[in-house]
Amino acid sequence: MSADNPYIPFTAEIMKVTDETPDIKTFEINITDPDWNHKPGQFLELSLLGAGECPISISSAPIQLPTLDLSIKRAGIVTEAVHQLYPGEVVGVRGPYGRPFPMEEWRSKNLLIIGGGIGLAPLRPIIQQALCQRELYGDLTILYGARSPADLVFKEELKEWEGAPGTDVYLTVDKGGGEWDGHVGFVPAYLEELGPSPENTVAVTCGPPIMIRFVLKALEKMNFTPEQIITTLEMKMQCGVGLCGRCGLGDKYICIDGPVFSYAEILKLSPDLSALK
Amino acid sequence: MNMKFLPAASLKDWLDLLRSHGTLIAPVKEKDGFIAFRPDPDFEDITLDYQNTVRPIREFFLPHSETLFNFETVQNGFDIERNKPEEPLVIFGVRLCDACGLEALDRAFSGKYTDPYYTERRKNALIISLFCTEPHPACFCEGVQKLMTGPKGADILLYPVEGGFLADPLSEKGDKIIGESKKLFKEPDAEQLKAKDAMVEKAVGAQSCIVDFSLLPEKFKELPPSSPFWREEGEGCVSCGVCSFLCPACQCFSVQDISDGKSGKRVRCWATCQDCRFAKMAGGIDPRPEKGERHYHRLSHKFADAPARNDMIFCTGCGRCIRYCPSHHDVLETLKKFLEYEEVKP
């Protein structure tokens, strides 16, 4: 990053493109900046000069550096343009930005990861890091859902996680079909069905705002305290560095004070949960 | 730092000296009768006979659109070219509210990261304020910021008195500038100082403010954007954003690329939180689809969140959002009603 100008991106080459779902691709990009060091939960600003810039969660753990993954759903102008790119082409990046997940505070605790759709992308670095430092954390439970079996991301990795030590993976889809013989139903309902214990556990969730709302309610019902629940908030971000004023929520900016917040913090910032519309 | 007296006859000479510090920007009367800040005006065209300009001086520091950088696609990447440094600005005749707006933007644009474009212009600029002898009825700068008695953001404040101006250096830079043109300035006499105090007292007395701003942060917590109060408050708003675009203390901007496919530029332009697209994300999710929610956002940002984050209310009492709102929303009336509002609980 340019020392005096936070708006200037640098180039990063695309090394690999993986089709995850009909509208999600994972781009592995090469970061040449030797000082780059991100943590799970952080994001970067992705530039396609001519198309624009947008914030994208980093979906791989730091151990993968000097490359990192960006799992991108085709949803707007920039993401649409990125989807047209192939390995060998370059993108612009700047970052990493945002408050990461407080993984140091989670040591020796059980981790309950609850993801929906593309929402698994920012959670994946937690899982990768916890599996890499397995002895530092307690049980790892992953509950992940998508609209349909085809919309599940990281399909190969989900299988690997199932076989990892001390790890349980629960998958669900809103609508089954085809060869799907797994669980069918929404994530919050499946969560209640599974009824995980709040004992010595941190619940981390990310997904569509409506899913997060119901997951928060379900966790509360299961006696998780607001401090035990961590999520990432989505808000229209533009500059990523707390200057453009776009992602304000209460006296916080999502880009520099978040995107990771505990439910306790969200209740202070947005007591009526209108931030999760 | 001592106050000096500048005889009216010396104003032209002083302004000529100031022109050597950068581009002089001063209020001139346009053909259509409006007063606007214009660069490099002839002395004869400069007017000091105005309550305030329609547009604040914010645009000289945060232009309504500007290029962040130019780019060109090359093999294996892109080249980025930064903009060249600009001429320093000397802005003369700035009202207290507009100078205070810069103080707010100074805080908004320097936090964890600093905005290099704004900061560069600001660092190089000289702001010369002009005291308001006759505030407009919509003004409330004393009520919200105590500006009449504690001006902020300017380097020098001029008080128009009989035969000239009392020049009060508010910053070291301002003091230095006055010191450089010692010959033009005189020591003020007791009469002039008395006249200045009387002027301040009269101006303070001419303003009334119906809102106790200190009560607002708690109230915003109490009545969230989903409250019926805000739904009602949003009615009639046409989401034109004039309240943001004319605000001396609004910072928000939007970034986009303009390109011919090979080369182009990344530009930013003002954005208003009253626009229905302001918070809407790719994929269509919008946390603030209702006008009332957007009003809540704007006002809570200015009167509750900015004090918490930047230790300052981001409203300078200039009254422009009241004077120019096409649907006659009056921020003071709204805040007064808001403070009095009791939610009927079922």
Side-chain angles (χ1 to χ4, degrees):
Chain A
M1 181 169 41
S2 175
D4 61 332
N5 190 327
Y7 300 119
I8 308 276
F10 63 85
T11 51
E13 189 186 341
I14 298 173
M15 310 306 286
K16 191 178 162 197
V17 181
T18 309
D19 286 320
E20 301 283 358
T21 76
D23 60 1
I24 298 172
K25 288 182 182 183
T26 294
F27 297 82
E28 183 182 355
I29 62 169
N30 190 37
I31 301 289
T32 48
D33 178 0
D35 295 329
W36 180 283
N37 194 8
H38 67 267
K39 289 182 168 167
Q42 288 193 297
F43 68 94
L44 55 71
E45 286 282 345
L46 178 70
S47 266
L48 246 80
L49 294 172
E53 198 176 37
C54 67
I56 300 287
S57 298
I58 299 169
S59 58
S60 59
I63 32 166
Q64 193 186 303
L65 282 169
T67 74
L68 56 77
D69 289 349
L70 303 172
S71 303
I72 300 173
K73 180 167 172 160
R74 216 172 56 221
I77 296 164
V78 181
T79 53
E80 178 73 49
V82 174
H83 267 242
Q84 314 306 320
L85 298 182
Y86 290 95
E89 295 188 274
V90 296
V91 291
V93 294
R94 54 187 182 90
Y97 297 127
R99 178 165 73 154
F101 291 113
M103 286 195 72
E104 288 80 17
E105 292 169 23
W106 299 347
R107 295 204 168 163
S108 80
K109 288 191 174 154
N110 303 319
L111 304 182
L112 169 61
I113 310 290
I114 307 157
I118 185 67
L120 190 59
L123 303 175
R124 179 173 173 242
I126 304 176
I127 300 168
Q128 290 179 336
Q129 185 147 321
L131 289 177
C132 219
Q133 305 173 305
R134 197 63 201 90
E135 68 290 352
L136 292 181
Y137 302 93
D139 295 337
L140 177 61
T141 308
I142 300 160
L143 164 56
Y144 175 52
R147 283 171 307 189
S148 75
D151 289 308
L152 293 164
V153 294
F154 314 132
K155 291 183 187 73
E156 288 305 310
E157 222 168 341
L158 287 169
K159 277 181 216 154
E160 284 170 32
W161 294 343
E162 268 174 10
T167 307
D168 289 315
V169 178
Y170 300 94
L171 302 180
T172 183
V173 292
D174 299 350
K175 215 176 154 197
E179 289 171 18
W180 183 255
D181 60 355
H183 191 275
V184 176
F186 292 127
V187 168
Y190 196 22
L191 174 65
E192 284 192 51
E193 210 175 290
L194 294 167
S197 159
E199 185 70 30
N200 192 38
T201 298
V202 178
V204 196
T205 183
C206 186
I210 180 89
M211 183 207 90
I212 297 181
R213 270 172 91 106
F214 283 102
V215 165
L216 294 175
K217 294 287 164 217
L219 289 169
E220 263 186 327
K221 232 194 266 177
M222 290 182 274
N223 295 322
F224 278 79
T225 64
E227 288 77 17
Q228 275 176 289
I229 307 170
I230 313 291
T231 184
T232 68
L233 280 185
E234 209 180 4
M235 220 14 113
K236 173 81 179 180
M237 287 189 227
Q238 192 102 77
C239 73
V241 289
L243 299 170
C244 75
R246 303 297 290 269
C247 64
L249 176 65
D251 62 353
K252 304 282 184 249
Y253 284 124
I254 304 298
C255 64
I256 52 174
D257 303 315
V260 170
F261 291 99
S262 71
Y263 184 30
E265 289 168 321
I266 291 170
L267 286 172
K268 267 194 209 157
L269 283 173
S270 177
D272 60 349
L273 292 190
S274 56
L276 286 167
K277 247 184 201 167
Chain B
M1 290 184 284
N2 292 325
M3 219 178 278
K4 302 279 179 200
F5 175 71
L6 178 73
S10 301
L11 181 60
K12 183 175 186 306
D13 290 343
W14 191 44
L15 288 180
D16 285 341
L17 275 173
L18 289 176
R19 286 180 204 260
S20 67
H21 287 273
T23 307
L24 179 73
I25 294 172
V28 299
K29 194 167 197 168
E30 304 269 77
K31 285 195 191 95
D32 54 14
F34 287 109
I35 311 288
F37 282 96
R38 293 288 176 231
D40 219 9
D42 290 337
F43 179 74
E44 293 69 31
D45 293 335
I46 297 174
T47 177
L48 297 181
D49 182 23
Y50 66 101
Q51 280 177 312
N52 210 348
T53 50
V54 178
R55 288 153 67 154
I57 58 162
R58 175 180 76 140
E59 64 192 279
F60 296 103
F61 298 90
L62 181 67
H64 105 278
S65 70
E66 72 174 304
T67 301
L68 295 179
F69 54 79
N70 293 297
F71 57 79
E72 196 173 337
T73 315
V74 295
Q75 183 140 27
N76 298 324
F78 45 80
D79 281 339
I80 281 180
E81 189 202 335
R82 283 280 312 270
N83 298 343
K84 292 180 184 68
E86 294 164 14
E87 271 277 290
L89 302 177
V90 177
I91 312 192
F92 175 80
V94 177
R95 292 301 184 192
L96 300 170
C97 47
D98 285 5
C100 177
L102 294 181
E103 173 78 24
L105 294 179
D106 289 348
R107 295 173 193 223
F109 284 136
S110 60
K112 193 173 174 192
Y113 299 88
T114 298
D115 186 274
Y117 308 90
Y118 173 87
T119 311
E120 187 75 7
R121 292 184 190 114
R122 183 69 172 110
K123 198 177 74 200
N124 294 331
L126 182 73
I127 306 296
I128 299 167
S129 258
L130 184 64
F131 193 81
C132 303
T133 43
E134 277 179 69
H136 187 273
C139 294
F140 56 100
C141 72
E142 184 64 15
V144 67
Q145 295 281 3
K146 298 255 170 291
L147 289 186
M148 299 279 190
T149 43
K152 295 182 185 102
D155 296 297
I156 297 169
L157 171 57
L158 299 179
Y159 295 92
V161 291
E162 189 68 37
F165 304 90
L166 279 182
D168 190 2
L170 302 180
S171 72
E172 277 182 28
K173 196 198 250 175
D175 197 43
K176 209 172 134 238
I177 290 287
I178 292 176
E180 278 173 15
S181 23
K182 250 189 207 132
K183 272 189 241 158
L184 300 175
F185 289 87
K186 296 185 163 56
E187 288 304 316
D189 62 34
E191 206 59 24
Q192 288 162 339
L193 292 170
K194 235 172 78 185
K196 175 224 134 196
D197 290 343
M199 181 197 316
V200 173
E201 202 180 318
K202 189 176 155 229
V204 169
Q207 277 195 22
S208 61
C209 189
I210 52 174
V211 174
D212 182 349
F213 295 93
S214 69
L215 301 175
L216 287 168
E218 272 313 303
K219 191 70 181 179
F220 276 109
K221 274 185 207 151
E222 209 181 287
L223 278 192
S226 51
S227 152
F229 174 85
W230 292 107
R231 203 175 314 130
E232 228 170 90
E233 154 61 21
E235 278 171 19
C237 170
V238 295
S239 303
C240 68
V242 75
C243 49
S244 328
F245 295 142
L246 293 184
C247 178
C250 267
Q251 77 185 82
C252 292
F253 60 82
S254 221
V255 183
Q256 55 183 298
D257 289 0
I258 298 173
S259 158
D260 62 9
K262 194 173 176 332
S263 61
K265 54 188 180 176
R266 178 156 292 170
V267 296
R268 72 167 166 199
C269 56
W270 293 346
T272 169
C273 56
Q274 301 310 299
D275 185 329
C276 61
R277 294 160 297 185
F278 183 83
K280 196 170 178 177
M281 288 170 265
I285 291 170
D286 184 358
R288 295 190 290 274
E290 301 293 329
K291 288 173 187 175
E293 293 168 316
R294 301 199 288 271
H295 282 216
Y296 175 96
H297 179 79
R298 173 177 159 78
L299 297 177
S300 64
H301 171 75
K302 292 197 167 293
F303 296 100
D305 304 334
R309 187 176 188 96
N310 301 106
D311 201 20
M312 180 180 170
I313 288 175
F314 272 18
C315 164
T316 71
C318 74
R320 288 185 178 91
C321 58
I322 301 174
R323 293 170 69 179
Y324 302 109
C325 174
S327 53
H328 306 291
H329 276 73
D330 180 325
V331 66
L332 287 183
E333 290 294 341
T334 298
L335 293 174
K336 182 171 175 271
K337 265 196 292 181
F338 176 51
L339 284 171
E340 288 162 358
Y341 187 84
E342 299 274 346
E343 192 143 27
V344 187
K345 296 246 158 71

